Amino acid sequence: MNNASKQSSDIEQPAKSTFSMSLFWLGSAQVLGRIVRLASSIILARLLTPEVFGQVAIILACFELICTPTRRITSAALIKMDDDSLFASLPNANRTNWIAAITAFVAMSLLSWPLAFFNQDSTLIAPMILMATSYLLLPFGMLYAAINLRANNMRRVGRAILWQTITDGILTAILALSGLGIWAIILPKVLVIFVWIAIHRYHNPLFQAQSLTKPDQAKPRSAWTITQMLRFGSQVGLSDFSITLRQNIDYLLVGYFLGIEALGIYFFAFNTSLGISLGIIQSYGTALYSHLCDKSNQAWDSMEVELQKRYVHSLKLILKITVPVIALQSILAPIYLPFVYGSHWIEAGALPVFVLLCLSGLVRPIGEATSQLLISIGESRLNLSFNLGFTLLLAITISVCSQWGLTAIALGILVIHLIAMPAFNLYIHHFILSSRKGAKQDQLKGFNREVHHDA
């Protein structure tokens, strides 16, 4: 083995180990949290009607669609910055977070009225406005979460996810048993934001650098303006929004075509079938972006090669985890679904929908990996174009299949995912990454010629 290969191997192993540990902390937090949530979901499934599940699906879908563009409005930029730019940009990042949070609160509050009118259900208004207040809490922890992500402190990030989920599950179960109905689901989701904030702020390095974040001590040449933050964050946010729209468009369309009761059945089947696997996939996406943006110990001429290695390795790792989980769920579904959640869900037709949606999770990690890769290499527009195109295709599929009911919709969703996700991954892998690698090699050759010429 020559020195270059040995050096590359020495760099690659710690990078793989770091990503594996990051995925372990985030994934284990999601799994443990989902176990607690499983207990609360069993209680909810036995106490609440499909209509209430349908109302919750509408509220949570709207919340996610509005929240997603703001979630990484500044963190995506902060993670990529060097230290000087980071500390100089923190005050503007904080202001940007507040602008995004207030805008999101106003948008969801106003949206509650037309949704209530459209669904002829005025009881949607108050829960939606209460859910919107959680946006106003997020800026108190967003900078601290970005610092933990930038430092690859996934143990802290995973802990925040775990205790947030555990608290949510316990409070939901208690309030549901107390007979609070829809409030048993909405109220805990607002309260657990305080848990997330507290864990991210605890012993955060940002506290030790408060003097560096004052505007009068910031370096103006390296600080990002609010406009720059919004421009960069909006590109990432739109890409994330397109993913969230893709993941929630089915709720909106099922409710539109088949009604709130059918939406409640679909919402139940989706969350019980894909709850654990989607939690792992989301953790994977969070860890992967930080992993791909980490350029430490990478030689300038090997960055593209290292990026591709990290991407391929991470994708193989997540598939090794999710495929067995999904296969086991699908096989055992006819046994544990009626036993755990109640036979009335089988009578409502949830079983085939459950199995088909569960199988669609086999290729969902591929789409998540590809999206995070494109964002990390500055191809947010291409990522946005793909996700919007896929969302349009998904909407057409659901609209057509809705004529034959929920099972046909679930089958259409499975087929579209099986075709589109691998095809998009192959396109990015063989065209985008290969062209970037070739361009980098040509750039390096030109640089070497200049060096020899000067010598």
Side-chain angles (χ1 to χ4, degrees), residues 36-37 40 44 48 56 59-60 63 127 130-131 133-134 137 160-161 163-178 180-196:
V36 175
R37 187 173 289 178
S40 67
L44 292 174
L48 303 182
V56 172
I59 295 172
L60 295 185
F63 175 81
L130 175 62
M131 192 74 192
T133 59
S134 59
L137 300 175
I161 294 172
W163 287 108
Q164 187 179 4
T165 307
I166 288 176
T167 306
D168 184 12
I170 293 174
L171 286 176
T172 299
I174 293 173
L175 296 178
L177 291 171
S178 301
L180 291 185
I182 192 173
W183 298 102
I185 300 176
I186 302 302
L187 184 59
K189 295 192 183 304
V190 178
L191 296 177
V192 296
I193 302 294
F194 290 103
V195 176
W196 177 80

Side-chain angles (χ1 to χ4, degrees), residues 130-451:
L130 175 62
M131 192 74 192
T133 59
S134 59
Y135 294 130
L136 301 178
L137 300 175
L138 292 175
F140 291 104
M142 291 173 74
L143 288 185
Y144 300 90
I147 295 299
N148 285 327
L149 286 168
R150 184 176 182 273
N152 262 315
N153 188 359
M154 297 306 169
R155 185 172 186 174
R156 176 67 55 83
V157 177
R159 191 179 301 156
I161 294 172
L162 174 61
W163 287 108
Q164 187 179 4
T165 307
I166 288 176
T167 306
D168 184 12
I170 293 174
L171 286 176
T172 299
I174 293 173
L175 296 178
L177 291 171
S178 301
L180 291 185
I182 192 173
W183 298 102
I185 300 176
I186 302 302
L187 184 59
K189 295 192 183 304
V190 178
L191 296 177
V192 296
I193 302 294
F194 290 103
V195 176
W196 177 80
I197 293 171
I199 293 175
H200 275 296
R201 289 175 70 110
Y202 182 72
H203 285 177
N204 193 287
L206 191 57
F207 279 121
Q208 303 170 9
Q210 286 299 318
S211 61
L212 295 175
T213 65
K214 295 179 181 179
D216 58 338
Q217 293 184 359
K219 299 180 180 180
R221 285 180 296 178
S222 59
W224 281 42
T225 65
I226 294 178
T227 303
Q228 288 176 308
M229 288 277 183
L230 288 172
R231 185 183 300 116
F232 185 88
S234 62
Q235 292 179 357
V236 176
L238 284 173
S239 296
D240 290 346
F241 174 79
S242 65
I243 298 173
T244 304
L245 180 62
R246 185 188 78 204
Q247 294 171 344
N248 289 272
I249 192 70
D250 47 353
Y251 294 155
L252 303 177
L253 292 175
V254 169
Y256 175 77
F257 286 111
L258 301 181
I260 287 186
E261 183 176 357
L263 173 59
I265 297 170
Y266 181 87
F267 181 73
F268 164 80
F270 186 94
N271 282 276
T272 52
S273 64
L274 289 170
I276 293 178
S277 56
L278 280 184
I280 297 174
I281 292 168
Q282 290 170 359
S283 299
Y284 165 69
T286 301
L288 180 60
Y289 179 74
S290 297
H291 182 57
L292 295 176
C293 289
D294 183 10
K295 296 180 175 59
S296 59
N297 298 322
Q298 292 187 41
W300 182 80
D301 60 337
S302 64
M303 285 172 60
E304 296 299 322
V305 175
E306 178 65 19
L307 181 74
Q308 193 163 351
K309 286 182 179 178
R310 290 185 180 189
Y311 170 70
V312 173
H313 168 262
S314 66
L315 186 55
K316 289 180 180 178
L317 180 61
I318 191 63
L319 289 176
K320 287 179 182 178
I321 296 172
T322 55
V323 169
V325 172
I326 292 170
L328 193 62
Q329 272 189 292
S330 302
I331 293 171
L332 298 179
I335 300 173
Y336 79 80
L337 193 63
F339 177 76
V340 174
Y341 296 101
S343 59
H344 62 288
W345 289 105
I346 302 297
E347 296 168 1
L351 179 59
V353 180
F354 177 98
V355 174
L356 292 169
L357 291 177
C358 193
L359 292 174
S360 73
L362 292 171
V363 292
R364 288 177 188 260
I366 299 176
E368 181 68 26
T370 308
S371 290
Q372 297 303 325
L373 172 67
L374 290 175
I375 294 173
S376 69
I377 63 176
E379 294 286 351
S380 296
R381 289 186 179 180
L382 178 59
N383 182 48
L384 176 62
S385 299
F386 163 74
N387 281 294
L388 289 178
F390 182 79
T391 302
L392 178 60
L393 185 62
L394 194 61
I396 294 172
T397 301
I398 294 173
S399 301
V400 173
C401 293
S402 64
Q403 301 177 53
W404 296 280
L406 279 179
T407 302
I409 289 176
L411 179 60
I413 290 172
L414 170 62
V415 172
I416 291 300
H417 277 82
L418 290 177
I419 295 173
M421 295 300 175
F424 182 51
N425 177 70
L426 289 173
Y427 172 78
I428 299 302
H429 191 76
H430 290 289
F431 292 96
I432 304 299
L433 289 182
S434 298
S435 63
R436 283 175 59 88
K437 182 179 177 182
K440 185 68 71 174
Q441 289 176 343
D442 292 340
Q443 189 177 1
L444 179 60
K445 290 177 181 178
F447 174 76
N448 289 334
R449 282 196 296 267
E450 290 179 5
V451 170

